[in-house]
Structures are given as structure tokens and as C-alpha cells.
Amino acid sequence: QSSIIIGPSKFHRSQNINSCKMPIDLNEEEGEQDQGEQIRISLRLAPGINDPSLEVSSDPIAVPANLRRKGLSALVNHLLERRAPDENLEDSDQDDEESSSMLPALPFDFILNGKLLRMGVEAAVRRDGLSLEEAVEIRYFVAQSAPRNSGESQTLPDWASALSFSTIVMSEKISPRYDGFVFCGCYDGSLRALSSNSCATITSLDRAHLGAIKCIDSNVWSATADQEGILVATGSMDQTLLTHILSVPNSGSDVVEKPVLKLHCTYTNGHSNSIESLALTRSSADEYLLTSGDWDGNICLWKVPTGAGGATESQNNSSSSKKRQKVVSNTSASGSESNGATTACVAKWKCHAGSISGIAWGVKGGSNKQHLITSSWDHR
């Protein structure tokens, strides 16, 4: 079988990986010394990685069949002539000079048959039923380090079930003390605004909903000249959909004030089951759109009120004022202030056979048209 020998600069098609001219440790752990059984692989950069400095030859190479991610990462670094983290060169001063001139090693991740490699190469090949007659193609890319824990945390009274983060566009009116907010919804129906720096609760509503908050999204709110803050949308198992506005105190105020969450609008006549996902988008300078998905696979589209009164009514989905008043009274009983507007959905679609697990707005290609992306428990 044809394979290659790894040298300092050129590839020679003649031998296998055990004939490397430079030292390289492919063992994952101590005790994994059996390199008798081998498998041929072909390494290629993952799609979307356009960095020629990370590209290695795609010629087939024979490696131990039980090689895993760590060993493959050492192999790619060797092919790129990058210094291994624990490489000890004690041969001569010349070797030390060569080592110091080499770039540091990079951690790599690997994709085999569309899946991240988390086992030995041969085990992954046999799991997916791939042929060993030809070289197995493995895609690689630079691995991302896990985020470090800052140590800041806060214990909440119930499960934290939904999160959103927003920053305020700083202006002379906004106090510089508040540069970012984390909004957290809990299973007890409470809604909290926390500092992005310290995770301390800045303001909260103990009973924003009667049921668990399942989804949350936020966006900068500046629909009118006298209103600046953050628009926060929440959906709940109690079938209610609400928006609140977090008003941020002005920087010129002599009185030290904290941001306040106030009910902005109640969205009615849309869902008859638990609201599982939602997404906010700013479609224009003075227009916001809100979409929400429920347990039954339905999606509703709403226009967020921006005027003084704020209420709008869909011509295709109008209902009696008594029904709206009932929904508002139920929401008021949950703890949110009752002076918000009410609005009905603009459109409603049955999009999935299962629960809507995710919704996102996006712009496709070079067009300015908003596109809606959804996912569901129906595997679509």
C-alpha cells in the first residue's frame, strides 16, 4: 500500500508514519503503545477555512488505527512544522535553535463523515459503515478553547430556563454604569435583569408570568424620542406572550436611579399551548417584529406596538374585547403591571408537526428581506 514518510519539508511517497524523521508522539495516553494495526487517512481543511498556512498535503498517510483527536492534532502540527507543546529536543544547540524558530502548536478538531471525531479513527469508520479500501477523508480545523469561568454567579430561586443578552448603544442620555444586561427567565415565572459584568440582579419581576418562562429575546428599544432602553419579549407555559421595556436612567439625573422593568404589551389570540420559542427583530427604524412558536408547531407573527397607545388589531384575527380583557386580567394577576397595550397576531401558520424548538431571523444573501428560520422536535 502506498503511504508517505514525514520529513521536515517534503513528502516522500514510500513508507508509513512510523518512519518519520522527526520525533512525534501519537499515543493518546500511557499504555496505548500498540501501533501494529494501521489505517490510511487523508487530511483536508474543513470547508470555510481559507488559511493557506494551515493546509497540509491531502496525500494518503498510514496512521495507527486507534488514533484519536489528540494524536491527530500532534500529527497535523508536525506536518505544519509547528512545535509540539511537550517536545524536548536535547540533541544539540542546533536543534534548540530550530525549535525556537518553529511556531507553537495549535489544538485541532476533526470531522469524519460529518461528525466530530470523539473516538478512535477505526472505531468511527466502522460505526458509520465506511469502507477501509480507500483512504478515509478527515477534515480538520483549529479547535476553540472552552470559555473560562469568571467566578461571578448568582443562585436563583428556580430553574433558569431562558437567557438573552443585550447592550445599549451608548449616548449622552444613558448612564455609563449600564453597558450590558443579561435577561433571565425562570420556571417560577420571574424575570430578572442582571449586570453583564457582575451577574448581580439589577431589577426583577417576581411574577411576570403565571407559568414557567420558556423563551426570551431582547433588542435595543428606541421607537420614540423619549423612550430609550431594551425591549424584552418572554413566552411562557401559561400560553401568554409579553413584552417589557427596561428603562435605563439618564446620565444627567442628580438622583441615583436603577433601571425598571415595565409591562409594554400583551399579545393575544395567538397560541393555545405552551410558547416554546420566540425571536425579535428590528425591521426598520421604527418597526419591530416578533415571532413565537408553540408546542403544537404553530408560529405567530406580531407587530410590536411603538406608538403611545400601542395597540393594533389584525383584521383577519379580530375577537371580542371581552376575550382580550380576560387575557389581560390573567396577566395582571401574575405580577406584571396592567397598563400595557394589547395586540393580536398579524399571521399564524402551522409549520411543524412537533414543538417549535427554535426561531431565528436572518437576511439571506445580499437582499434586505427578512427570513425566518425555524427548528422543531419533528427533526426538521
Side-chain angles (χ1 to χ4, degrees):
Q1 293 183 349
S2 176
S3 57
I4 68 172
I5 176 174
I6 304 177
S9 58
K10 296 183 179 180
F11 298 92
H12 303 281
R13 188 179 291 274
S14 62
Q15 301 178 19
N16 61 22
I17 190 66
N18 296 324
S19 302
C20 293
K21 293 182 179 180
M22 295 177 64
I24 175 173
D25 181 14
L26 298 182
N27 295 322
E28 299 293 328
E29 298 176 356
E30 294 183 5
E32 293 188 9
Q33 303 295 332
D34 183 14
Q35 295 186 9
E37 190 173 351
Q38 295 187 335
I39 190 172
R40 289 191 306 149
I41 65 172
S42 176
L43 294 166
R44 297 177 185 271
L45 269 176
I49 309 297
N50 300 316
D51 188 349
S53 67
L54 297 178
E55 191 170 359
V56 301
S57 172
S58 59
D59 290 341
I61 179 172
V63 299
N66 61 353
L67 198 63
R68 301 168 70 96
R69 179 176 55 170
K70 183 179 176 182
L72 285 170
S73 187
L75 173 60
V76 173
N77 278 290
H78 180 83
L79 294 173
L80 293 173
E81 300 183 22
R82 287 179 172 270
R83 184 174 63 252
D86 57 347
E87 186 174 341
N88 296 318
L89 298 177
E90 301 176 353
D91 295 342
S92 65
D93 294 337
Q94 182 179 357
D95 290 335
D96 293 336
E97 292 177 2
E98 291 179 359
S99 176
S100 62
S101 64
M102 296 172 67
L103 294 172
L106 293 173
F108 288 96
D109 249 321
F110 301 87
I111 300 173
L112 196 159
N113 197 31
K115 304 180 184 70
L116 283 172
L117 187 63
R118 292 295 183 264
M119 60 181 67
V121 175
E122 184 181 24
V125 169
R126 297 192 182 281
R127 176 199 63 191
D128 295 342
L130 302 179
S131 173
L132 292 173
E133 295 297 326
E134 299 180 355
V136 178
E137 183 179 273
I138 298 179
R139 299 278 182 166
Y140 66 95
F141 59 95
V142 178
Q144 299 297 318
S145 301
R148 284 185 282 179
N149 188 350
S150 64
E152 303 292 343
S153 182
Q154 182 177 156
T155 302
L156 301 174
D158 209 332
W159 292 344
S161 49
L163 286 175
S164 180
F165 172 77
S166 282
T167 58
I168 293 182
V169 179
M170 299 304 294
S171 66
E172 295 180 356
K173 295 181 180 180
I174 302 299
S175 172
R177 291 175 297 170
Y178 306 108
D179 58 348
F181 297 89
V182 176
F183 298 95
C184 177
C186 294
Y187 249 67
D188 61 356
S190 62
L191 173 62
R192 284 172 170 76
L194 301 94
S195 168
S196 61
N197 294 325
S198 63
C199 284
T201 298
I202 297 174
T203 185
S204 65
L205 292 173
D206 292 337
R207 295 290 284 172
H209 289 270
L210 291 173
I213 295 178
K214 297 300 297 291
C215 47
I216 188 170
D217 199 8
S218 55
N219 207 318
V220 174
W221 176 258
S222 57
T224 58
D226 58 343
Q227 288 183 321
E228 284 189 328
I230 298 177
L231 180 69
V232 185
T234 54
S236 171
M237 289 181 69
D238 64 10
Q239 305 173 20
T240 59
L241 182 64
L242 307 175
T243 50
H244 290 78
I245 292 179
L246 179 75
S247 58
V248 183
N250 296 335
S251 58
S253 176
D254 296 333
V255 181
V256 178
E257 298 179 355
K258 288 186 177 181
V260 177
L261 276 169
K262 293 183 179 180
L263 179 65
H264 165 254
C265 184
T266 301
Y267 299 81
T268 64
N269 308 323
H271 298 286
S272 57
N273 210 329
S274 173
I275 301 174
E276 298 293 305
S277 56
L278 59 82
L280 271 170
T281 186
R282 190 170 186 173
S283 56
S284 64
D286 58 351
E287 183 179 64
Y288 294 80
L289 295 177
L290 172 62
T291 51
S292 52
D294 61 29
W295 181 265
D296 296 325
N298 299 309
I299 290 179
C300 291
L301 175 66
W302 320 79
K303 283 187 177 180
V304 177
T306 55
T312 61
E313 184 72 29
S314 171
Q315 295 180 354
N316 298 327
N317 195 13
S318 60
S319 61
S320 66
S321 59
K322 290 183 179 180
K323 188 173 182 179
R324 290 203 312 272
Q325 289 174 1
K326 182 178 180 180
V327 175
V328 174
S329 63
N330 288 341
T331 305
S332 301
S334 68
S336 293
E337 298 180 32
S338 59
N339 58 351
T342 60
T343 185
C345 65
V346 176
K348 182 176 180 178
W349 307 278
K350 175 71 173 180
C351 295
H352 289 274
S355 172
I356 308 292
S357 57
I359 299 180
W361 287 97
V363 178
K364 187 176 182 180
S367 66
N368 293 325
K369 294 182 179 180
Q370 295 273 3
H371 288 255
L372 193 61
I373 306 166
T374 62
S375 62
S376 170
W377 284 25
D378 63 6
H379 297 189
R380 296 184 178 181

